[in-house]
Amino acid sequence: MKKMFALLMALVMVLALCSSAAAEDLIKVGFAQVGHESDWRNANTENYKGVFTAENGYELSFVDCDNDNAVQLEAVRSFIEQDLDYIIIAPIETAGWNTVLAEAKDAGIPVIIADRNVDADPSEYTTRVGTDMVKEGETAGLWLAEYMAGAEANILVIEGTVGSSAALGRSEGFNNIAKDHPEWKIIDSQSGDFTQAGGQQVMESFLKSYPGQFNVVVCHNDNEAYGAMDAMDAAGVTYGVDGDVILISYDATKAGLTYTLEGKINCNVECNPIQAAFVKEVIEKLEAGEAVEAFTLVVDEAFVAPGITSQYATTMTAELLAARPY
Ligand code: AHR
């Protein structure tokens, strides 16, 4: 009995030693995530948690910054203090990063800017991975121009978070196209903070301020579009392919594309949240001592409702929707 016990204890000690050695071998990565403001964000978070696992050789320190810049800066500083191997930042806003990026650089910790961009010289961080948000805006604009075929457009925009590269880029891209269309008028543009509640609130206020004066609504993400749809439903305003208002959205999440397939969203420009594998690839290269590109582009598509054909977007089908991973 005593022998058995001693054997068991020895086995437990060996296992403990092995697992602590394994834990030491893991690459320690800190991820300062924007928050949980949208379905897109949640899909992006799940993607990171599924890729940066112990089985894949990583220990992930994840901080949901709840759309608060101060919390995000604090999270990055705590990663530096903990001397993690890599820091991933999905910046809430573009501004205000120079000091903390310099601190990470001084500490010798590579920083990967993910999803959104920062207003800092690329020499201040290691690399960036994300979608082209200006191009997303241009795609929405090009599709609208093709669909309107010269007809007047009175446009209301529900923007994303003020100061975020996602909102700035989509506005810039859309405006690049709008400037060539004197028959378009952007009546108003307000932030819905990328949330459903924000989208609904802004749309309710637009409906009061501009009754019957608009025929296009552009929402910077799917959740804002759901809020805008609720507000228009309550006001008896019809939208989508059979409606009075053309509805454009960004993200192309599964729920957003379900509405696109139903014809409620005319055009949905993708922002691909499945980005973690690209970041992992960058880290693997750095671990191997290889050089990395300054920017890794995550490619997007665009989708339009059934009955619409476009050179800029794919017409939605039930098969396409079933195949969507998020
Ligand atoms: O930065 C990506 C944007 O942030 C997505 O479009 C939006 O849904 C999210 O909140």
Side-chain angles (χ1 to χ4, degrees):
M1 188 67 182
K2 261 186 181 173
K3 255 189 186 170
M4 273 275 281
F5 182 72
L7 250 167
L8 208 67
M9 286 309 287
L11 192 69
V12 168
M13 277 169 75
V14 169
L15 279 174
L17 271 172
C18 285
S19 68
S20 74
E24 269 168 31
D25 289 345
L26 295 179
I27 299 169
K28 293 179 179 54
V29 172
F31 180 24
Q33 173 64 294
V34 170
H36 51 273
E37 71 286 359
S38 64
D39 296 346
W40 187 99
R41 186 64 53 197
N42 295 337
N44 182 249
T45 292
E46 284 317 302
N47 179 232
Y48 273 91
K49 287 185 174 172
V51 167
F52 287 96
T53 60
E55 295 76 57
N56 286 342
Y58 293 91
E59 186 182 310
L60 179 67
S61 300
F62 176 86
V63 179
D64 175 331
C65 301
D66 201 17
N67 236 3
D68 185 326
N69 293 305
V71 171
Q72 193 163 44
L73 287 174
E74 193 50 45
V76 176
R77 289 209 162 96
S78 106
F79 296 154
I80 297 171
E81 244 166 60
Q82 292 168 62
D83 196 23
L84 300 187
D85 299 314
Y86 295 90
I87 295 174
I88 307 166
I89 308 170
I92 298 166
E93 287 183 15
T94 55
W97 287 100
N98 302 69
T99 308
V100 82
L101 287 177
E103 288 167 19
K105 204 175 188 182
D106 287 348
I109 305 175
V111 171
I112 299 152
I113 303 295
D115 166 31
R116 299 182 188 171
N117 203 356
V118 287
D119 188 8
D121 190 86
S123 64
E124 292 184 48
Y125 52 88
T126 308
T127 187
R128 185 163 87 80
V129 173
T131 63
D132 182 342
M133 280 137 176
V134 175
K135 187 160 176 270
E136 289 166 7
E138 285 172 346
T139 301
L142 288 167
W143 172 79
L144 185 64
E146 179 190 52
Y147 191 65
M148 297 303 284
E152 263 184 29
N154 291 303
I155 305 166
L156 291 170
V157 182
I158 305 181
E159 290 174 36
T161 299
V162 175
S164 69
S165 73
L168 292 166
R170 287 168 195 167
S171 290
E172 182 187 329
F174 189 81
N175 293 343
N176 285 344
I177 307 304
K179 72 174 171 18
D180 295 332
H181 290 274
E183 75 282 14
W184 292 10
K185 185 176 173 207
I186 298 181
I187 305 172
D188 205 345
S189 187
Q190 300 285 336
S191 172
D193 218 8
F194 283 128
T195 66
Q196 180 160 347
Q200 182 168 349
Q201 214 178 342
V202 172
M203 195 66 229
E204 282 166 356
S205 128
F206 280 165
L207 285 159
K208 278 192 196 124
S209 304
Y210 312 106
Q213 296 167 42
F214 60 93
N215 60 346
V216 178
V217 171
V218 180
C219 297
H220 274 186
N221 79 347
D222 280 341
N223 289 82
E224 289 181 342
Y226 311 151
M229 285 155 75
D230 287 345
M232 287 193 276
D233 285 340
V237 172
T238 60
Y239 50 86
V241 281
D242 298 321
D244 293 330
V245 173
I246 295 162
L247 185 56
I248 297 175
S249 182
Y250 295 86
D251 279 1
T253 56
K254 201 148 191 156
L257 287 180
T258 305
Y259 286 121
T260 312
L261 183 64
E262 289 170 1
K264 291 181 177 164
I265 293 175
N266 300 67
C267 176
N268 203 330
V269 180
E270 184 182 38
C271 176
N272 191 342
I274 308 303
Q275 304 188 358
F278 296 97
V279 175
K280 181 170 164 275
E281 206 176 306
V282 162
I283 292 178
E284 279 165 3
K285 279 192 177 166
L286 292 169
E287 283 290 296
E290 291 172 31
V292 293
E293 299 288 333
F295 175 53
T296 303
L297 175 70
V298 179
V299 176
D300 293 321
E301 285 182 74
F303 301 90
V304 283
I308 304 174
T309 47
S310 170
Q311 61 171 309
Y312 305 107
T314 305
T315 305
M316 262 324 276
T317 63
E319 291 71 33
L320 275 175
L321 184 65
R324 292 297 285 179
Y326 59 90

